[in-house]
Amino acid sequence: MNVDNIGASELSVQNREILLELAGKRKKLKRLEKKDPEFSKFLESYENGLEKLRDEENFSDEDNTSDDGTQNPSKGSAILSKDKLLTSSALNTLCQLVREQRSISALTSLLNGYRAACHCGTEPSGLLDVDSCCGLQDSKTFSKILIFMLQEADNIFRGMLGISCSSCKKETILELKNTLKWKTMKPLIKSYLRSTLFLLNQVTDSEILAFSLVQLRASIIFFAAFRPLLHRLIKIAVHLWVTGEGCLASHSFLVIKHVASVFRSDCFNSCLIKTYKAFIGHCKFVDPVSSKHIQFLRNSFIELCSQDVPNSSSKAMVCVEQLAKILQMGLRAKKKEAVKRICSWQYTNCIDLWVSFISANIQDYDLKPLLYTIIQIINGVAVLFPGPRYLPLRLKCIQWLNNLSSSSGVFIPVASFALDILEYKTGKDNGKPGKDFNFSSSVKLPKHWLKSRNFQEKCVSSVIELLAMHFAQWSYHITFLLPNNTLHGGANNEVLEERKVDLSIDDGRDGKRVKKRKT
C-alpha cells in the first residue's frame, strides 16, 4: 500500500507539471491568434496532417514511384490543395515553432508545404513554375520553404531523435528502429527524403540541383531505413555526375562517394558498377570540349575505386578480361567490325581508365596479374594497328606503357614501338604545312593529314618526347649500369634478363661484335 501511495503521488506531480506546461503553451497559442488571426485558421485546416503522414499506404517501406523515378500522385499524396494556402506569415510562425519548440504538428505542416513546392511543374527552361504550385501563396513562400527545409531538416531530425550532428554511421539509425521516437519521426523523415529526390528528378537548373545535393548529403544516414530510396538516390547521383558540369558533377560524385563510404559493402558494388557503366556509355565520342569532363569522370572513378582496392581489383580484372576477349577476336578475324570496335574511343578510354587505376594503387596493393594482362592488351593493340593513320593510337599505347613502367618499377620495352614510327614515309619533304591538330583528340587520322609537313614534325616531336620519358626513367637504373658479366639473379631478376636480350650488342671479347637479337 505504501508503494502504491508513493507511485500515485509521483504520477500526480508529473500530471501537474504536464498541465502547467500545456497551460503555458495554450497562452502562447492565444497570443499568436491575437497577433495573426489567419494562423489559427491555418492550424485548424491541418489538424489531420499528421494522420495523413502516418498513413500506411503512403509511407510504407515500398516505393510508390514509377520506373523513371517520379512519384505517382494517384497513390495518396498529401499535397496542399488550393483552398489551404500557406502564407508567408504562417510559414514564419511554423518555422519558429519547429526551431524553438520542436513541434511535431508544425513540422508536419511544413513537410506538406515542402512537398507541394517540390511537386511544382517544370518549364522547358528548367525553372520551377511557381504559378502552378498548389497550396503556396507566392514565389517568396515557395523559395522560403525550400531553403528552410533543405538547410534545417537534417538538424531538426537529428535533434528530435537525439543524434549527434557529427554521426555518420548507419548503425545509429538501425539501433533506433524499435524506439517510440523513431516510429513518430519515420513518416516525417521519409516524406522529406522522397520530396527531395522528386525535386532532383524534376529540376534541371544546375544551381538548385547542386544546393539540394549538398544539403541532402548531410542526411545520408537516414537512407539506412529506406533501401528503395537509397537505390534511387544512387541512380540520380550517377546520372547527374556523368551528365552535369562543374560544381554539379563534383557534388554528385561526393554523394556517390559518401554513400559508398557510409554503407560500405552494401552499396559499394552498386556504386562501382553504375558509375563504370555510366562512364563507358558517356565516352563513346570525344572532342576537345568533352575531353576535360571525361578526364574528371576518370579521376573521380579511380578515387571511388581506391576506397576498396581489393574489391575494385576483382571487378577490374573482369573488365580487363573482357577487353582481352575483344582484342583476341580482332587479332584472329581481322574483320572491319571487330577492328572498328577496338579502334574506338570507348575501347581506348576503358584501357586508359584501368591503366590509371593500376598506376595509382600498384605501390600499395598486389596488382601484378592485372598489370601483366593490361600490358599484353596494349602490346596487342599496338601490333594490330601499325599504319601511319593509327599513329595517335600507337602513341597512346607507348604513353600507357611508360606510365605503367614508372608506377610499377617494371621495365617495359617501348623503344621498338617508338622507333618504328620514325620510319614512316607518308609524304614529300616539301609538302604543305597543313592545319594544326592534336593527337590526343583523335584515334585515327584522315588521309589528307598524312601528307602535311605538320604531321611529320608532330611524329618526330612526339616520339622524341616519349623516348625521353622512357630513357629518363631507366638510363640511370643500376640494372643498366652493371657490366654484362656481373649480371645475376635477385630482386630485379626479371629486368636483368630483359636487359640481356635487348642491350647485348658487344660482348667485349676479341673485338668481335655479337649480332643483335630481337626483343
Side-chain angles (χ1 to χ4, degrees), residues 53 137 142 172 174 187 198 203 214 243 262 265 273 328 330 399 403 451 503:
L53 285 173
Q137 186 181 35
F142 166 83
T172 306
L174 298 178
F198 188 86
V203 181
V214 170
T243 59
V262 171
S265 59
I273 293 171
Q328 288 175 357
Q399 188 176 9
N403 292 340
K451 299 180 181 180
L503 303 179

PDB file of all heavy atoms in Angstrom, residues 53 137 142 172 174 187 198 203 214 243 262 265 273 328 330 399 403 451 503:
ATOM      1  N   LEU A  53       0.297  11.772 -42.824  1.00  0.00           N
ATOM      2  CA  LEU A  53       1.681  11.355 -42.999  1.00  0.00           C
ATOM      3  C   LEU A  53       1.925   9.958 -42.468  1.00  0.00           C
ATOM      4  O   LEU A  53       2.847   9.268 -42.906  1.00  0.00           O
ATOM      5  CB  LEU A  53       2.619  12.342 -42.314  1.00  0.00           C
ATOM      6  CG  LEU A  53       2.825  13.680 -43.024  1.00  0.00           C
ATOM      7  CD1 LEU A  53       3.645  14.609 -42.154  1.00  0.00           C
ATOM      8  CD2 LEU A  53       3.503  13.481 -44.350  1.00  0.00           C
ATOM      9  N   GLN A 137       1.323  30.505 -51.462  1.00  0.00           N
ATOM     10  CA  GLN A 137       0.750  31.807 -51.765  1.00  0.00           C
ATOM     11  C   GLN A 137       1.474  32.505 -52.913  1.00  0.00           C
ATOM     12  O   GLN A 137       0.844  33.034 -53.826  1.00  0.00           O
ATOM     13  CB  GLN A 137       0.805  32.686 -50.514  1.00  0.00           C
ATOM     14  CG  GLN A 137       0.089  34.020 -50.675  1.00  0.00           C
ATOM     15  CD  GLN A 137       0.185  34.857 -49.418  1.00  0.00           C
ATOM     16  OE1 GLN A 137       1.198  34.828 -48.727  1.00  0.00           O
ATOM     17  NE2 GLN A 137      -0.869  35.606 -49.121  1.00  0.00           N
ATOM     18  N   PHE A 142       7.349  30.045 -51.685  1.00  0.00           N
ATOM     19  CA  PHE A 142       7.945  28.879 -52.326  1.00  0.00           C
ATOM     20  C   PHE A 142       9.446  28.795 -52.042  1.00  0.00           C
ATOM     21  O   PHE A 142       9.965  27.756 -51.621  1.00  0.00           O
ATOM     22  CB  PHE A 142       7.679  28.951 -53.833  1.00  0.00           C
ATOM     23  CG  PHE A 142       8.490  28.008 -54.654  1.00  0.00           C
ATOM     24  CD1 PHE A 142       8.080  26.698 -54.809  1.00  0.00           C
ATOM     25  CD2 PHE A 142       9.659  28.419 -55.266  1.00  0.00           C
ATOM     26  CE1 PHE A 142       8.833  25.810 -55.568  1.00  0.00           C
ATOM     27  CE2 PHE A 142      10.412  27.549 -56.027  1.00  0.00           C
ATOM     28  CZ  PHE A 142      10.000  26.238 -56.176  1.00  0.00           C
ATOM     29  N   THR A 172      23.608   3.886 -36.293  1.00  0.00           N
ATOM     30  CA  THR A 172      22.897   4.817 -35.408  1.00  0.00           C
ATOM     31  C   THR A 172      21.402   4.798 -35.688  1.00  0.00           C
ATOM     32  O   THR A 172      20.581   4.813 -34.768  1.00  0.00           O
ATOM     33  CB  THR A 172      23.448   6.241 -35.584  1.00  0.00           C
ATOM     34  OG1 THR A 172      24.857   6.234 -35.394  1.00  0.00           O
ATOM     35  CG2 THR A 172      22.812   7.196 -34.587  1.00  0.00           C
ATOM     36  N   LEU A 174      19.782   2.312 -37.408  1.00  0.00           N
ATOM     37  CA  LEU A 174      19.260   0.957 -37.237  1.00  0.00           C
ATOM     38  C   LEU A 174      18.974   0.643 -35.772  1.00  0.00           C
ATOM     39  O   LEU A 174      18.050  -0.114 -35.462  1.00  0.00           O
ATOM     40  CB  LEU A 174      20.254  -0.059 -37.807  1.00  0.00           C
ATOM     41  CG  LEU A 174      20.535   0.067 -39.319  1.00  0.00           C
ATOM     42  CD1 LEU A 174      21.568  -0.951 -39.761  1.00  0.00           C
ATOM     43  CD2 LEU A 174      19.252  -0.085 -40.131  1.00  0.00           C
ATOM     44  N   PRO A 187       7.712   8.611 -40.601  1.00  0.00           N
ATOM     45  CA  PRO A 187       6.963   9.128 -41.754  1.00  0.00           C
ATOM     46  C   PRO A 187       7.384  10.534 -42.160  1.00  0.00           C
ATOM     47  O   PRO A 187       7.340  10.881 -43.344  1.00  0.00           O
ATOM     48  CB  PRO A 187       5.501   9.091 -41.280  1.00  0.00           C
ATOM     49  CG  PRO A 187       5.569   9.070 -39.803  1.00  0.00           C
ATOM     50  CD  PRO A 187       6.818   8.340 -39.456  1.00  0.00           C
ATOM     51  N   PHE A 198      12.387  13.651 -55.478  1.00  0.00           N
ATOM     52  CA  PHE A 198      11.490  14.057 -56.559  1.00  0.00           C
ATOM     53  C   PHE A 198      11.937  15.391 -57.147  1.00  0.00           C
ATOM     54  O   PHE A 198      11.895  15.593 -58.363  1.00  0.00           O
ATOM     55  CB  PHE A 198      10.061  14.158 -56.029  1.00  0.00           C
ATOM     56  CG  PHE A 198       9.027  14.379 -57.098  1.00  0.00           C
ATOM     57  CD1 PHE A 198       8.469  13.316 -57.776  1.00  0.00           C
ATOM     58  CD2 PHE A 198       8.623  15.659 -57.444  1.00  0.00           C
ATOM     59  CE1 PHE A 198       7.520  13.513 -58.761  1.00  0.00           C
ATOM     60  CE2 PHE A 198       7.683  15.873 -58.427  1.00  0.00           C
ATOM     61  CZ  PHE A 198       7.124  14.792 -59.088  1.00  0.00           C
ATOM     62  N   VAL A 203      13.962  19.048 -61.514  1.00  0.00           N
ATOM     63  CA  VAL A 203      14.625  20.316 -61.813  1.00  0.00           C
ATOM     64  C   VAL A 203      15.834  20.081 -62.709  1.00  0.00           C
ATOM     65  O   VAL A 203      16.523  19.064 -62.588  1.00  0.00           O
ATOM     66  CB  VAL A 203      15.058  21.003 -60.507  1.00  0.00           C
ATOM     67  CG1 VAL A 203      15.734  22.335 -60.790  1.00  0.00           C
ATOM     68  CG2 VAL A 203      13.851  21.224 -59.613  1.00  0.00           C
ATOM     69  N   VAL A 214      24.050  19.133 -51.881  1.00  0.00           N
ATOM     70  CA  VAL A 214      24.905  19.456 -50.734  1.00  0.00           C
ATOM     71  C   VAL A 214      24.146  19.246 -49.432  1.00  0.00           C
ATOM     72  O   VAL A 214      24.665  18.667 -48.468  1.00  0.00           O
ATOM     73  CB  VAL A 214      25.418  20.904 -50.842  1.00  0.00           C
ATOM     74  CG1 VAL A 214      26.098  21.334 -49.540  1.00  0.00           C
ATOM     75  CG2 VAL A 214      26.397  21.034 -51.996  1.00  0.00           C
ATOM     76  N   THR A 243      26.370  13.512 -66.464  1.00  0.00           N
ATOM     77  CA  THR A 243      25.812  14.487 -67.399  1.00  0.00           C
ATOM     78  C   THR A 243      26.006  15.932 -66.956  1.00  0.00           C
ATOM     79  O   THR A 243      25.908  16.839 -67.776  1.00  0.00           O
ATOM     80  CB  THR A 243      24.302  14.243 -67.594  1.00  0.00           C
ATOM     81  OG1 THR A 243      23.628  14.338 -66.330  1.00  0.00           O
ATOM     82  CG2 THR A 243      24.054  12.866 -68.207  1.00  0.00           C
ATOM     83  N   VAL A 262      29.609   5.265 -46.290  1.00  0.00           N
ATOM     84  CA  VAL A 262      28.729   5.013 -45.143  1.00  0.00           C
ATOM     85  C   VAL A 262      28.189   3.587 -45.169  1.00  0.00           C
ATOM     86  O   VAL A 262      28.173   2.887 -44.146  1.00  0.00           O
ATOM     87  CB  VAL A 262      27.569   6.034 -45.128  1.00  0.00           C
ATOM     88  CG1 VAL A 262      26.529   5.654 -44.078  1.00  0.00           C
ATOM     89  CG2 VAL A 262      28.113   7.426 -44.847  1.00  0.00           C
ATOM     90  N   SER A 265      30.138  -2.254 -48.026  1.00  0.00           N
ATOM     91  CA  SER A 265      29.908  -3.370 -48.947  1.00  0.00           C
ATOM     92  C   SER A 265      28.468  -3.438 -49.430  1.00  0.00           C
ATOM     93  O   SER A 265      28.193  -3.987 -50.502  1.00  0.00           O
ATOM     94  CB  SER A 265      30.288  -4.693 -48.272  1.00  0.00           C
ATOM     95  OG  SER A 265      29.532  -4.886 -47.084  1.00  0.00           O
ATOM     96  N   ILE A 273      29.593  -0.355 -60.071  1.00  0.00           N
ATOM     97  CA  ILE A 273      29.068  -0.860 -61.347  1.00  0.00           C
ATOM     98  C   ILE A 273      28.313   0.234 -62.100  1.00  0.00           C
ATOM     99  O   ILE A 273      28.484   0.407 -63.315  1.00  0.00           O
ATOM    100  CB  ILE A 273      28.162  -2.084 -61.086  1.00  0.00           C
ATOM    101  CG1 ILE A 273      28.998  -3.255 -60.560  1.00  0.00           C
ATOM    102  CG2 ILE A 273      27.430  -2.497 -62.356  1.00  0.00           C
ATOM    103  CD1 ILE A 273      28.174  -4.428 -60.065  1.00  0.00           C
ATOM    104  N   GLN A 328      41.315 -10.344 -78.851  1.00  0.00           N
ATOM    105  CA  GLN A 328      41.570 -11.649 -79.469  1.00  0.00           C
ATOM    106  C   GLN A 328      40.704 -11.850 -80.707  1.00  0.00           C
ATOM    107  O   GLN A 328      41.177 -12.362 -81.730  1.00  0.00           O
ATOM    108  CB  GLN A 328      41.312 -12.766 -78.459  1.00  0.00           C
ATOM    109  CG  GLN A 328      42.372 -12.863 -77.375  1.00  0.00           C
ATOM    110  CD  GLN A 328      42.027 -13.909 -76.321  1.00  0.00           C
ATOM    111  OE1 GLN A 328      40.964 -14.530 -76.367  1.00  0.00           O
ATOM    112  NE2 GLN A 328      42.919 -14.089 -75.358  1.00  0.00           N
ATOM    113  N   GLY A 330      39.617  -9.500 -82.629  1.00  0.00           N
ATOM    114  CA  GLY A 330      40.156  -8.643 -83.676  1.00  0.00           C
ATOM    115  C   GLY A 330      41.424  -9.195 -84.295  1.00  0.00           C
ATOM    116  O   GLY A 330      41.629  -9.093 -85.513  1.00  0.00           O
ATOM    117  N   GLN A 399      52.574   5.728 -74.367  1.00  0.00           N
ATOM    118  CA  GLN A 399      52.381   6.538 -73.160  1.00  0.00           C
ATOM    119  C   GLN A 399      51.833   5.693 -72.015  1.00  0.00           C
ATOM    120  O   GLN A 399      52.264   5.834 -70.862  1.00  0.00           O
ATOM    121  CB  GLN A 399      51.434   7.699 -73.464  1.00  0.00           C
ATOM    122  CG  GLN A 399      51.317   8.712 -72.336  1.00  0.00           C
ATOM    123  CD  GLN A 399      50.454   9.892 -72.734  1.00  0.00           C
ATOM    124  OE1 GLN A 399      49.816   9.875 -73.790  1.00  0.00           O
ATOM    125  NE2 GLN A 399      50.456  10.924 -71.911  1.00  0.00           N
ATOM    126  N   ASN A 403      53.692   4.948 -68.401  1.00  0.00           N
ATOM    127  CA  ASN A 403      53.050   5.214 -67.104  1.00  0.00           C
ATOM    128  C   ASN A 403      53.071   3.972 -66.216  1.00  0.00           C
ATOM    129  O   ASN A 403      53.337   4.064 -65.008  1.00  0.00           O
ATOM    130  CB  ASN A 403      51.611   5.679 -67.318  1.00  0.00           C
ATOM    131  CG  ASN A 403      51.533   7.045 -67.970  1.00  0.00           C
ATOM    132  OD1 ASN A 403      52.490   7.816 -67.940  1.00  0.00           O
ATOM    133  ND2 ASN A 403      50.396   7.361 -68.572  1.00  0.00           N
ATOM    134  N   LYS A 451      49.927  13.801 -95.515  1.00  0.00           N
ATOM    135  CA  LYS A 451      50.824  14.448 -96.475  1.00  0.00           C
ATOM    136  C   LYS A 451      51.294  15.822 -96.016  1.00  0.00           C
ATOM    137  O   LYS A 451      52.087  16.459 -96.718  1.00  0.00           O
ATOM    138  CB  LYS A 451      50.108  14.568 -97.821  1.00  0.00           C
ATOM    139  CG  LYS A 451      49.724  13.227 -98.425  1.00  0.00           C
ATOM    140  CD  LYS A 451      49.018  13.413 -99.765  1.00  0.00           C
ATOM    141  CE  LYS A 451      48.621  12.064-100.351  1.00  0.00           C
ATOM    142  NZ  LYS A 451      47.928  12.210-101.665  1.00  0.00           N
ATOM    143  N   LEU A 503      69.929  -5.401 -74.966  1.00  0.00           N
ATOM    144  CA  LEU A 503      71.038  -4.461 -74.983  1.00  0.00           C
ATOM    145  C   LEU A 503      72.402  -5.116 -75.214  1.00  0.00           C
ATOM    146  O   LEU A 503      73.421  -4.450 -75.154  1.00  0.00           O
ATOM    147  CB  LEU A 503      71.085  -3.673 -73.667  1.00  0.00           C
ATOM    148  CG  LEU A 503      69.810  -2.919 -73.325  1.00  0.00           C
ATOM    149  CD1 LEU A 503      69.975  -2.208 -71.997  1.00  0.00           C
ATOM    150  CD2 LEU A 503      69.450  -1.936 -74.420  1.00  0.00           C
TER     151      LEU A 503
END
